[in-house]
Amino acid sequence: MEQEEFAMMRIRETMRDLVARWGRLDTVSRQILLVLVTVAVLLSVPAALINGDWAGLLLNLGTELAGAAVTFVLLDQIVGANTRKRDLSAQLSSQVNDVAKAAAEDLRRHGWLVDGSLQQVQLSQANLQDANLRNANLREVVLFQANLQGADLRGADLSGAILTRANLGGANLSGAALTAAAMLNVECDPRTILPDGSHWTPRTSLHRYTGLVDPTADF
């Protein structure tokens, strides 16, 4: 009897937790939860029908539901993290400076600014003025016409990035990787610090850092 009461208590607690989560779930998450609960029931009922062990059914069902709940929570965390990452990436492309900078800080806190999560992200015309993008992994990111004035890009990986017509006035690119980056008509000023630590001058060709031929150079 004690085992049955314990099993019922466990089932009630698990169901309360799942019901509490239900209202916060999207359609896909609800479908996943229903599948897990259905599987838990299907795994528990046949043995009871064969053996007539209904007390055992409660114990097994409680265990299976608890396992389903744990599995769902883990899946929900993964899906939630991916959704959050996607939302922050979208905010990073904002033309509102405060929104874009806040997104950069959140991405850094989660480790997503440096782990490659932003590779090939579309950030055209993003207002990243004064943003902290130090050591960011921005490989192949599209920064067409982006405002990067005063941005901290020290140690950032911008290999293959599209920086055409971006504004790098006052940006710090010390130690940044620009291999194969598209930098046609990039705007710089004497405050711009280049990958080798030198300051930009009107005679500077940024293509010496990219390894690409400067299409505007005279031959």
Side-chain angles (χ1 to χ4, degrees):
M1 184 63 70
E2 290 182 359
Q3 287 184 332
E4 292 181 18
E5 291 178 353
F6 175 76
M8 287 301 300
M9 181 179 67
R10 190 172 186 179
I11 291 173
R12 284 196 296 268
E13 290 177 351
T14 301
M15 292 306 297
R16 275 199 299 268
D17 180 60
L18 295 178
V19 169
R21 290 177 176 273
W22 183 265
R24 303 193 299 268
L25 303 179
D26 56 26
T27 301
V28 174
S29 296
R30 288 181 178 181
Q31 291 173 344
I32 293 173
L33 179 55
L34 285 174
V35 169
L36 290 173
V37 171
T38 301
V39 170
V41 173
L42 291 177
L43 289 174
S44 303
V45 171
L49 291 175
I50 294 172
N51 302 321
D53 184 9
W54 299 106
L57 169 63
L58 292 177
L59 289 173
N60 290 335
L61 184 57
T63 300
E64 294 294 342
L65 284 175
V70 171
T71 301
F72 175 75
V73 169
L74 293 175
L75 288 173
D76 191 43
Q77 289 177 344
I78 294 172
V79 172
N82 288 336
T83 300
R84 180 61 175 160
K85 186 188 300 184
R86 186 168 57 250
D87 290 344
L88 287 174
S89 297
Q91 292 170 24
L92 191 66
S93 68
S94 176
Q95 295 182 29
V96 179
N97 186 236
D98 287 342
V99 173
K101 287 199 300 182
E105 292 302 325
D106 278 350
L107 286 164
R108 182 178 297 282
R109 277 193 290 271
H110 288 289
W112 297 329
L113 194 67
V114 298
D115 70 351
S117 295
L118 297 177
Q119 288 189 36
Q120 300 182 335
V121 165
Q122 173 64 251
L123 299 177
S124 291
Q125 299 182 328
N127 188 349
L128 291 162
Q129 182 172 352
D130 298 322
N132 179 10
L133 300 172
R134 187 172 185 177
N135 297 320
N137 187 335
L138 300 172
R139 293 176 65 90
E140 300 180 6
V141 168
V142 180
L143 287 157
F144 177 76
Q145 289 187 331
N147 181 2
L148 291 162
Q149 294 181 80
D152 185 353
L153 288 159
R154 287 176 292 174
D157 188 351
L158 289 156
S159 302
I162 298 176
L163 288 153
T164 303
R165 296 185 180 178
N167 189 337
L168 288 169
N172 190 341
L173 291 156
S174 180
L178 294 173
T179 304
M183 305 194 72
L184 186 63
N185 296 326
V186 169
E187 186 176 345
C188 297
D189 63 30
R191 297 172 300 132
T192 303
I193 300 176
L194 303 173
D196 59 5
S198 64
H199 284 259
W200 178 89
T201 71
R203 301 182 63 181
T204 300
S205 173
L206 296 176
H207 289 81
R208 81 189 204 205
Y209 302 105
T210 68
L212 302 177
V213 176
D214 186 349
T216 65
D218 295 327
F219 295 97

